[in-house]
């Protein structure tokens, strides 16, 4: 029966069309690579040929999988607070939204060029030319639309349809706006802000300014870097490969949905799939971790700041505050602390288990988990919701501010600002609220149940849309006319302006007519002479 089932699946795959799919996803961040890795594996299982330029390979894939290894980019992410330099991005400190362009995107804007200049990519470039590989569709990360789109055109021509993929809650830097789903900053928080969808007047003003100034700066930085690369790496005429990249995207796929942000109007060519990296089969926990979790009579607190920020980089005074709090937990509570330095956390109490790498999903799925102390990255947020664990968010940079604000708004977590970590009382208050108030767990369980309805469809939904775009050579049938509209046109200011101008002209004409009637009809010649 199993053999018959396998044969049936093989025949079904064979009856479909296998596509050559190119993915360029440059960001050196494991959490942001996870959804793309899952999508890659699923597309290969469907019989497609995948060519992937990425910092993380999918383990176990060989057939139909060409991996261009650009993992060397990880060396440019500072893993310690003292790891500074012109080429490094220091992710061990807080970055506000206003310094994101200079602190993070100075390197981000150069990242694609550095990867395209690598020996690994040069070999891939030669392979494409030599074997005359034709791509049916290409996927590119939302932060690198201009550089990736231009390279896709250089490799395969202008006819290759492109799909933007975003592993943060919005397809930023043009992935949504230029697809026709224009944001309304009065009702949708900017992706680097800490607002909700219900802002006061001052927050709305700040949100509008952030949207236009910061997003505009980032787009200009990324496009300028792309133009510089093609001009210098090839010749000046190749710079034109960047022209029109923002306006020729077929589709945008966002690996999130409204549960992790807010409901908003989206055109049919912007697809929210929901979390794609949630595992159907969890990896088995190491026995030492499983025994530790099982032995917690009252529950477990997981302390993990993600794949970028490291708790080992926290100042000693901040670590002391956490150690003091954990040591004072009632007997029966235990802590799992992701401690990247290895060994024990200096000064830790007996109720703490320090681990160098956290099999996060498997730990969160354990029934003894009560609180997840997280940096608030989207993938960690999605995992916490899926497995129903309330959160304490400590946002450091990027979309973490917005994600943690959503946790608070949904009643599933609390927040500690990085500057508040120096206060033991702030830490105690935030964790105590989630640990001892059942309302947070109740809200999280409800949200978890809702989320699982959508998460179960996420990967299949993404696969369908990739195949759809490949099958029809694009998705112009999904593209609304708002894709070429300006904000002035989208909010009907052009119509309002015409109405106002016509109204003013009409009022002026009425005034002239009134004056004429007053002068010529109602005033007699005798009165006119007296007046004159």
């Amino acid at each position: 029966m199993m053999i018959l089932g396998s044969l049936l699946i093989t025949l079904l795959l064979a009856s479909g069309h296998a596509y050559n799919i190119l993915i360029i996803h440059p960001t050196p961040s494991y959490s942001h690579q996870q959804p793309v890795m899952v999508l890659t594996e699923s597309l290969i299982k469907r019989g497609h040929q995948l060519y992937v330029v990425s910092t993380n390979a999918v383990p176990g894939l060989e057939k139909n999988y060409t991996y261009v290894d650009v993992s060397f980019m990880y060396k440019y992410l500072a893993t310690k607070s003292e790891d500074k330099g012109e080429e490094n991005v220091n992710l061990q400190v807080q970055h506000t939204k206003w310094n994101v362009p200079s602190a993070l995107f100075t390197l981000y804007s150069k990242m694609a060029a550095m990867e395209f200049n690598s020996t690994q990519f040069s070999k891939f470039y030669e392979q494409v030319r030599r074997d005359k590989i034709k791509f049916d569709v290409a996927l590119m990360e939302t932060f690198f639309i201009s550089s990736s789109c231009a390279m896709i055109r250089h490799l395969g021509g202008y006819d290759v349809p492109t799909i933007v993929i975003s592993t943060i809650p919005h397809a930023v830097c043009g992935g949504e706006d230029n697809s026709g789903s224009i944001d309304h900053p009065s009702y949708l928080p900017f992706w680097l802000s800490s607002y909700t969808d219900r802002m006061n007047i001052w927050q709305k003003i700040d949100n509008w300014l952030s949207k236009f100034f910061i997003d505009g700066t980032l787009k200009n930085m990324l496009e300028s870097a792309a133009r510089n690369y093609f001009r210098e790496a090839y010749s000046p005429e190749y710079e034109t490969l960047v022209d029109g990249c923002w306006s020729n995207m077929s589709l945008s796929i966002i690996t999130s949905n409204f549960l992790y942000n807010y409901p908003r109007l989206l055109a049919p060519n912007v697809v929210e799939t929901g979390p794609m990296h949630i595992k159907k089969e969890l990896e088995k926990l190491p026995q030492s971790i499983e025994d530790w979790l099982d032995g917690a009579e009252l529950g477990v607190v997981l302390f993990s700041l993600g794949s970028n920020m490291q708790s080992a980089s926290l100042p000693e005074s901040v670590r002391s505050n956490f150690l003091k709090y954990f040591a004072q937990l009632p007997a029966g509570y235990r802590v799992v602390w992701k401690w990247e330095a290895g060994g024990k956390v200096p000064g830790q109490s007996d109720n703490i288990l320090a681990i160098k790498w956290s099999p996060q999903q498997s730990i969160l799925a354990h029934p003894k988990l009560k609180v997840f102390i997280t940096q608030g990255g989207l993938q960690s947020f999605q995992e916490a919701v899926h497995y129903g664990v309330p959160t304490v968010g400590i946002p450091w940079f990027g979309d973490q501010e917005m994600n943690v604000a959503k946790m608070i708004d949904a009643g599933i977590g609390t927040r500690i600002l990085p500057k508040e970590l120096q206060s033991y009382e702030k830490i105690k208050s935030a964790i105590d609220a989630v640990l001892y108030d059942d309302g947070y767990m109740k809200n999280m369980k409800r949200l978890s149940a809702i989320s699982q309805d959508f998460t179960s469809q996420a990967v299949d939904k993404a696969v369908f849309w990739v195949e759809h775009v490949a099958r029809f050579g694009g998705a112009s049938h999904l593209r609304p006319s708002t894709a070429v509209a300006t904000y002035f046109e989208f909010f009907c200011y052009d119509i309002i302006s015409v109405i106002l101008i016509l109204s003013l002209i009409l009022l002026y004409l009425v005034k002239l007519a009134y004056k004429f009637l007053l002068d010529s009809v109602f005033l007699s010649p005798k009165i006119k002479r007296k007046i004159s």
Side-chain angles (χ1 to χ4, degrees):
M1 189 70 182
M2 289 181 64
I3 297 173
L4 182 62
S6 299
L7 181 61
L8 180 60
I9 292 171
T10 304
L11 290 172
L12 285 171
L13 290 175
S15 64
H17 189 77
Y19 299 112
N20 287 337
I21 301 172
L22 171 65
I23 299 178
I24 301 178
H25 203 268
T27 295
S29 173
Y30 178 70
S31 58
H32 289 280
Q33 292 290 343
Q34 285 185 90
V36 180
M37 293 164 70
V38 172
L39 179 59
T40 297
E41 188 172 12
S42 299
L43 288 168
I44 287 175
K45 286 180 180 178
R46 295 275 296 175
H48 304 302
Q49 180 75 41
L50 269 289
Y51 303 85
V52 184
V53 182
S54 167
T55 56
N56 292 81
V58 181
L61 291 186
E62 293 181 6
K63 187 180 178 182
N64 292 356
Y65 181 48
T66 300
Y67 171 60
V68 183
D69 184 358
V70 290
S71 58
F72 68 89
M73 289 303 302
Y74 275 107
K75 70 182 181 182
Y76 295 104
L77 300 184
T79 57
K80 299 177 182 177
S81 294
E82 62 269 19
D83 289 349
K84 297 176 181 177
E86 291 184 6
E87 294 295 325
N88 282 7
V89 171
N90 188 358
L91 297 180
Q92 308 308 307
V93 295
Q94 184 182 16
H95 296 290
T96 67
K97 63 182 179 181
W98 296 108
N99 77 339
V100 160
S102 59
L104 302 184
F105 275 78
T106 299
L107 174 64
Y108 249 83
S109 61
K110 302 174 184 175
M111 201 174 284
M114 295 165 75
E115 295 181 4
F116 293 158
N117 281 330
S118 67
T119 303
Q120 299 91 315
F121 188 83
S122 296
K123 290 179 179 178
F124 173 64
Y125 177 88
E126 292 170 4
Q127 177 190 353
V128 172
R129 294 297 193 199
R130 182 185 64 251
D131 298 343
K132 297 180 179 179
I133 299 171
K134 301 296 182 183
F135 301 110
D136 298 293
V137 66
L139 282 70
M140 53 190 181
E141 189 177 2
T142 189
F143 290 121
F144 302 95
I145 292 174
S146 50
S147 54
S148 298
C149 164
M151 181 53 73
I152 290 163
R153 289 172 170 180
H154 187 43
L155 287 171
Y158 282 76
D159 293 332
V160 180
T162 55
I163 297 175
V164 172
I165 187 162
S166 175
T167 54
I168 62 174
H170 302 170
V172 300
C173 297
E176 286 185 31
D177 287 354
N178 292 102
S179 296
S181 297
I182 299 178
D183 291 345
H184 198 314
S186 292
Y187 302 100
L188 183 70
F190 180 56
W191 68 281
L192 293 172
S193 78
S194 58
Y195 301 139
T196 70
D197 60 342
R198 297 177 303 281
M199 295 170 267
N200 61 40
I201 185 65
W202 305 113
Q203 291 172 335
K204 287 179 180 179
I205 291 171
D206 179 67
N207 205 52
W208 275 87
L209 292 173
S210 302
K211 163 71 180 175
F212 283 100
F213 285 106
I214 300 177
D215 237 15
T217 300
L218 297 181
K219 283 182 70 174
N220 288 337
M221 290 176 70
L222 295 167
E223 182 169 336
S224 295
R227 291 185 181 280
N228 290 338
Y229 168 73
F230 284 97
R231 184 171 58 248
E232 295 169 6
Y234 299 99
S235 60
E237 60 266 25
Y238 280 83
E239 185 182 333
T240 59
L241 288 169
V242 180
D243 294 345
C245 278
W246 304 104
S247 57
N248 283 285
M249 301 170 289
S250 294
L251 193 79
S252 288
I253 293 176
I254 303 171
T255 63
S256 185
N257 59 30
F258 50 87
L259 291 177
Y260 306 96
N261 194 236
Y262 298 96
R264 64 193 191 280
L265 297 174
L266 292 174
N269 60 344
V270 177
V271 178
E272 290 185 322
T273 63
M276 287 169 51
H277 73 290
I278 301 296
K279 297 178 180 178
K280 293 181 179 179
E281 295 183 9
L282 292 170
E283 60 183 293
K284 182 173 174 55
L285 284 168
Q287 195 61 49
S288 58
I289 298 178
E290 188 167 359
D291 291 343
W292 181 260
L293 298 174
D294 290 340
E297 296 177 5
L298 296 180
V300 177
V301 176
L302 173 62
F303 183 21
S304 173
L305 298 180
S307 57
N308 294 318
M309 179 65 192
Q310 300 191 356
S311 63
S313 297
L314 294 172
E316 186 177 346
S317 57
V318 172
R319 294 204 305 269
S320 296
N321 284 336
F322 278 108
L323 289 169
K324 179 181 176 181
Y325 176 80
F326 294 145
Q328 294 178 358
L329 283 171
Y333 282 107
R334 288 183 173 181
V335 178
V336 175
W337 185 326
K338 185 167 87 70
W339 178 249
E340 301 80 10
K344 291 188 175 184
V345 182
Q348 75 171 62
S349 51
D350 291 338
N351 65 342
I352 297 175
L353 174 67
I355 55 176
K356 192 169 185 178
W357 174 253
S358 164
Q360 190 163 284
Q361 291 195 47
S362 298
I363 293 176
L364 288 170
H366 196 280
K368 292 292 182 73
L369 255 289
K370 299 297 181 185
V371 180
F372 178 25
I373 303 174
T374 172
Q375 88 289 7
L378 178 61
Q379 285 69 39
S380 291
F381 182 14
Q382 291 173 336
E383 291 167 16
V385 171
H386 184 79
Y387 296 110
V389 182
T391 60
V392 175
I394 310 173
W396 294 90
F397 49 78
D399 61 318
Q400 295 169 12
E401 287 269 12
M402 182 175 65
N403 297 336
V404 174
K406 174 64 178 182
M407 295 174 191
I408 297 169
D409 190 47
I412 59 173
T414 58
R415 172 175 55 201
I416 311 172
L417 297 174
K419 64 182 180 182
E420 296 174 339
L421 293 174
Q422 296 292 344
S423 168
Y424 169 78
E425 292 302 325
K426 292 283 187 182
I427 292 174
K428 184 179 188 305
S429 174
I431 303 176
D432 277 356
V434 178
L435 191 59
Y436 303 121
D437 185 344
D438 292 338
Y440 289 98
M441 181 64 79
K442 182 180 178 181
N443 293 337
M444 182 59 98
K445 291 300 182 185
R446 181 179 184 277
L447 194 64
S448 176
I450 296 171
S451 173
Q452 291 182 35
D453 265 6
F454 296 99
T455 302
S456 61
Q457 309 168 25
V459 177
D460 291 340
K461 192 175 183 180
V463 168
F464 167 81
W465 282 111
V466 171
E467 291 180 339
H468 179 82
V469 172
R471 186 179 305 117
F472 295 102
S476 58
H477 50 285
L478 301 175
R479 188 176 178 83
S481 60
T482 50
V484 294
T486 63
Y487 264 85
F488 192 80
E489 295 168 328
F490 183 75
F491 289 106
C492 299
Y493 291 135
D494 52 345
I495 298 173
I496 294 170
S497 298
V498 171
I499 291 172
L500 286 174
I501 291 170
L502 291 176
S503 298
L504 289 173
I505 292 172
L506 181 61
L507 286 173
Y508 182 69
L509 292 174
V510 169
K511 180 183 176 183
L512 289 180
Y514 176 76
K515 188 174 183 301
F516 173 78
L517 289 172
L518 189 67
D519 287 350
S520 61
V521 177
F522 295 105
L523 293 180
S524 65
K526 185 176 180 180
I527 295 173
K528 288 182 181 179
R529 285 195 298 272
K530 283 184 178 182
I531 292 174
S532 61

